[in-house]
Amino acid sequence: MKRAAYYSCVPQMQDHWPIKKALTLSDVDITHPFLTLSRQQVENHIVLHMTTEQQEHLRAQGQVDFNARDDDTGEMYVMKLKWRGSYYNLIGKWGRVVRGKGLDVGQEIKIRWENGCLHFSVPQQQIVAVPPIRMVAAPLVQDHWPIKKILTLSDVDTNHPFLPLPRRLVEDHILVYWTPQQQEQLRKEEHVNVNTRDYDTGEGYIMKFKWRGNYYNLIGKWGTIIRQKGLGVGKEIRLRWANECLFFSVPQERYVATASGMDNWPIKKALTLSDVDTNHPFLTLPGKAVEDHILFYWSQQSREQLRSEHQMNINARDDDTGDAYLMKLRWRGSYYNLIGKWGKIIRGKKLQVGMEIRLRWDNGCLFFSVPQL
């Protein structure tokens, strides 16, 4: 565990509750009780204030015990913080907390570290107010697509057809509208049938949501949809839940316009958890996209060298800042990894899951850009 850089020089925040999170389906699952917390928040607002001994124990063992207090009731617990690489799990008595407080999806938990103890609170007014508001207010709103994803190589593979969607987005924008019975069925059986409609054509399907831990797979008729709509890497799919149905759309103008004109970024990717992990820094790119839009411009000799040595040094430039890097493109069979200075780029640009990176090859150099929203 290489974590020393995170345990110094982060100032104490004035916010009384520096960590706030809307609970997800996995957070309130009492069959596998744990609360998932982001690594940066935990290290900036909890680990930073632990004793040196606790920090060393966490580094060496990957977990540490501590006292925790429910500020709403005054109850005390001995709990455990477990390092999971890109995030942390709060375990121990978490299942008891979920049952005792009647926690459910969408409720907000607030956390802070004070005087050697982890304090947490779930405001009661939010517990009462959230379910009826969010369950009832699901009108079909024009151009309201809370879930958007740039399709990857695995998303459009008709041999193994499934569409993976981030857990947080699914739970915040789809499952929150489900009945408690539907949510419970998904928890127990790990999959549930859903009515689905192609917003572009009006065609309806019966599909299936399958829970896979940190994400959900949309399966069933996905292979049919790929073929019928001619889906390919780089196209954007949009999804929303309304009137007990999952609507999806793939706007045609989005990818027709990109093929030519001023927007000259043939490779676009929504960053995943592994793409922004500074402990093992690499950017994964689909094989076909790299071969069609990068290797296509290489000399035959350079392509042969990549095949024989499985990696090649390349010049890269951040189109947003002008910074230049010497990086490596590594061949991994069906995909490629961009390595070298990728960890420095993650930190410098503060890249996060869901951000879109765009790439192109121009004049012997790999240009990349991450548009700021």
Side-chain angles (χ1 to χ4, degrees):
M1 292 177 65
K2 299 179 181 178
R3 330 205 57 72
Y6 291 96
Y7 299 157
S8 60
C9 73
V10 178
Q12 177 70 43
M13 301 296 291
Q14 293 299 312
D15 191 346
H16 191 54
W17 298 102
I19 301 178
K20 298 176 183 178
K21 183 190 182 186
L23 295 173
T24 64
L25 190 65
S26 64
D27 294 330
V28 297
D29 181 3
I30 57 175
T31 60
H32 304 284
F34 59 86
L35 173 65
T36 300
L37 298 170
S38 75
R39 185 186 68 186
Q40 185 174 359
Q41 287 188 325
V42 169
E43 293 175 347
N44 287 350
H45 302 296
I46 296 178
V47 179
L48 173 69
H49 304 293
M50 286 181 171
T51 65
T52 304
E53 291 75 15
Q54 286 175 311
Q55 292 179 10
E56 287 298 329
H57 193 275
L58 181 58
R59 287 191 191 99
Q61 303 297 323
Q63 60 185 34
V64 64
D65 294 329
F66 51 79
N67 293 320
R69 184 180 189 272
D70 183 342
D71 267 22
D72 305 326
T73 64
E75 290 188 64
M76 296 292 298
Y77 304 90
V78 176
M79 301 187 76
K80 197 171 280 185
L81 191 67
K82 192 166 188 177
W83 179 53
R84 308 292 290 177
S86 296
Y87 57 92
Y88 288 82
N89 286 151
L90 184 64
I91 59 176
K93 299 297 182 180
W94 180 246
R96 181 177 169 186
V97 173
V98 172
R99 289 188 294 268
K101 297 178 77 68
L103 299 185
D104 205 352
V105 173
Q107 295 174 1
E108 183 183 67
I109 187 168
K110 303 179 179 182
I111 299 172
R112 74 172 185 270
W113 185 269
E114 186 178 352
N115 298 324
C117 181
L118 181 77
H119 295 253
F120 64 90
S121 170
V122 180
Q124 290 297 315
Q125 62 271 23
Q126 193 166 25
I127 298 174
V128 174
V130 170
I133 292 174
R134 299 193 74 174
M135 291 295 291
V136 173
L140 192 61
V141 180
Q142 291 297 321
D143 198 25
H144 178 61
W145 301 98
I147 302 177
K148 298 180 181 180
K149 184 187 184 187
I150 305 299
L151 295 175
T152 65
L153 195 64
S154 62
D155 296 334
V156 297
D157 182 0
T158 54
N159 295 316
H160 304 284
F162 64 92
L163 177 65
L165 297 169
R167 185 190 71 190
R168 177 72 181 269
L169 289 177
V170 171
E171 293 175 351
D172 285 354
H173 301 293
I174 295 177
L175 304 192
V176 72
Y177 298 109
W178 288 16
T179 64
Q181 291 78 14
Q182 287 174 309
Q183 295 180 11
E184 190 62 28
Q185 182 185 349
L186 183 58
R187 286 191 191 101
K188 289 181 177 178
E189 300 179 13
E190 297 187 354
H191 62 80
V192 67
N193 290 334
V194 293
N195 291 318
T196 310
R197 185 168 296 277
D198 184 340
Y199 187 76
D200 306 324
T201 66
E203 290 192 60
Y205 305 90
I206 295 179
M207 300 184 72
K208 207 169 265 185
F209 254 130
K210 193 165 189 178
W211 182 32
R212 304 294 290 172
N214 284 327
Y215 55 94
Y216 291 82
N217 284 342
L218 184 63
I219 58 176
K221 298 294 184 179
W222 181 242
T224 301
I225 293 167
I226 294 172
R227 289 186 289 269
Q228 287 181 347
K229 296 181 76 70
L231 300 184
V233 174
K235 295 181 181 180
E236 182 185 70
I237 189 168
R238 304 174 180 183
L239 304 100
R240 69 168 178 258
W241 185 265
N243 302 327
E244 303 301 320
C245 183
L246 180 68
F247 288 81
F248 65 89
S249 171
V250 181
Q252 294 295 318
E253 64 275 10
R254 170 90 180 182
Y255 48 81
V256 171
T258 302
S260 60
M262 298 304 292
D263 185 9
N264 188 24
W265 298 100
I267 302 177
K268 298 180 181 180
K269 183 190 181 186
L271 295 174
T272 65
L273 197 63
S274 64
D275 293 330
V276 297
D277 183 358
T278 54
N279 294 314
H280 305 284
F282 59 85
L283 173 66
T284 300
L285 297 171
K288 189 174 189 306
V290 170
E291 289 157 6
D292 287 352
H293 302 293
I294 296 177
L295 304 191
F296 176 80
Y297 299 102
W298 287 18
S299 66
Q300 182 66 29
Q301 182 180 356
S302 296
R303 289 197 293 265
E304 287 298 327
Q305 184 179 344
L306 177 62
R307 285 289 183 267
S308 61
E309 299 179 9
H310 294 272
Q311 62 183 32
M312 277 276 290
N313 290 331
I314 59 171
N315 292 315
R317 183 174 293 276
D318 184 340
D319 206 51
D320 306 323
T321 65
D323 291 333
Y325 304 91
L326 181 62
M327 302 184 73
K328 260 191 182 78
L329 189 66
R330 178 174 284 174
W331 180 40
R332 309 288 289 177
S334 61
Y335 60 93
Y336 292 79
N337 288 151
L338 185 63
I339 59 176
K341 299 296 184 181
W342 182 244
K344 182 178 178 180
I345 293 167
I346 295 173
R347 290 186 291 268
K349 296 179 77 69
K350 297 179 181 176
L351 301 184
Q352 296 179 4
V353 172
M355 288 183 172
E356 183 185 74
I357 188 168
R358 303 175 178 185
L359 304 100
R360 73 170 184 268
W361 186 264
D362 193 7
N363 294 323
C365 182
L366 181 68
F367 287 81
F368 62 90
S369 170
V370 181
Q372 296 297 315
L373 299 179

